[in-house]
Amino acid sequence: MALFISPFSAFIINGQIYRGALFGSGQIGHTIINPDGSACACGRYCCLETVASLSAIKKRARVFLKQQGADPAALAEGRVGTAQLLARYQQGEPMIRAMVDEGARAIGLSLYNFLNILNINRIWLYGRSCGFGEEWLQTIIHQTGANPFDCSDAVNATHIRFGQLSRAQQVMGIGYLYVERELGASQPAAR
């Protein structure tokens, strides 16, 4: 079983995309990390998205930079851009690194729960957060610990890696699923 993590996630089981009731699967963004944490747009508290998403990290970074007296022009329009966040992380700014590492640990914890429940052996990560690089990935991997279903040989071990599909390929795949669903819905029911 494989899991693709990006803004749109999917489980691949026996070479086939698993489609849930809402035509998707594997969305970990609303797994709850801490029920006493920040409110999420979905109405729950401390979903993974409130800690690990780029928008959540940028929001927290903006507050931090403002408190540090950052140039208001650098924080124009009330936001910190992805490129600016990635650069500050790569430069080793301690508070930014702490925010990003907290998010990576939360992603790892959510993935660990999937590993325990579903015996996933391949996980590919996609999206702009992958720009944090290998250290970010290793934090996620470390947090997942050992998959309790892993055999002693490396062939069956769980592998967590950066995905290799381009953004255009990802979007095309998502579009294909929607077209496939619409075509399937227009087919007469088999008797």
Side-chain angles (χ1 to χ4, degrees):
M1 178 182 294
L3 174 63
F4 292 87
I5 304 290
S6 74
F8 300 96
S9 302
F11 284 115
I12 308 296
I13 303 171
N14 296 325
Q16 299 294 314
I17 297 172
Y18 172 76
R19 292 166 176 86
L22 299 175
F23 214 73
S25 62
Q27 177 53 266
I28 67 170
H30 292 288
T31 55
I32 296 174
I33 301 302
N34 171 4
D36 296 323
S38 301
C40 181
C42 75
R44 294 184 178 102
Y45 287 87
C46 208
C47 292
L48 179 60
E49 287 193 11
T50 68
V51 176
S53 71
L54 265 179
S55 59
I57 294 170
K58 287 191 281 190
K59 183 187 230 181
R60 290 174 33 222
R62 180 183 168 274
V63 170
F64 168 72
L65 294 171
K66 216 173 178 185
Q67 291 170 343
Q68 299 302 308
D71 177 16
L75 300 174
E77 300 175 16
R79 38 182 294 239
V80 172
T82 300
Q84 181 183 10
L85 184 66
L86 290 170
R88 287 178 179 270
Y89 176 80
Q90 300 302 339
Q91 291 165 359
E93 191 164 319
M95 190 57 143
I96 301 299
R97 289 189 72 81
M99 290 175 198
V100 172
D101 290 345
E102 177 187 11
R105 286 190 303 275
I107 292 168
L109 178 63
S110 289
L111 290 176
Y112 177 78
N113 291 324
F114 274 95
L115 294 174
N116 274 311
I117 296 167
L118 298 172
N119 189 19
I120 298 168
N121 57 10
R122 301 280 184 268
I123 298 172
W124 287 276
L125 303 172
Y126 289 93
R128 294 177 299 157
S129 293
C130 293
F132 290 118
E134 189 64 29
E135 191 174 343
W136 176 81
L137 177 63
Q138 290 306 314
T139 300
I140 291 170
I141 291 169
H142 179 74
Q143 186 64 41
T144 62
N147 179 346
F149 297 107
D150 276 351
C151 298
S152 59
D153 64 358
V155 173
N156 293 317
T158 298
H159 300 279
I160 303 173
R161 297 196 170 91
F162 291 125
Q164 300 301 313
L165 296 175
S166 70
R167 186 72 175 150
Q169 289 169 319
Q170 292 174 51
V171 171
M172 192 161 32
I174 293 163
Y176 172 80
L177 292 176
Y178 285 106
V179 168
E180 181 182 63
R181 178 179 67 177
E182 292 303 313
L183 290 175
S186 66
Q187 299 290 326
R191 294 178 194 218

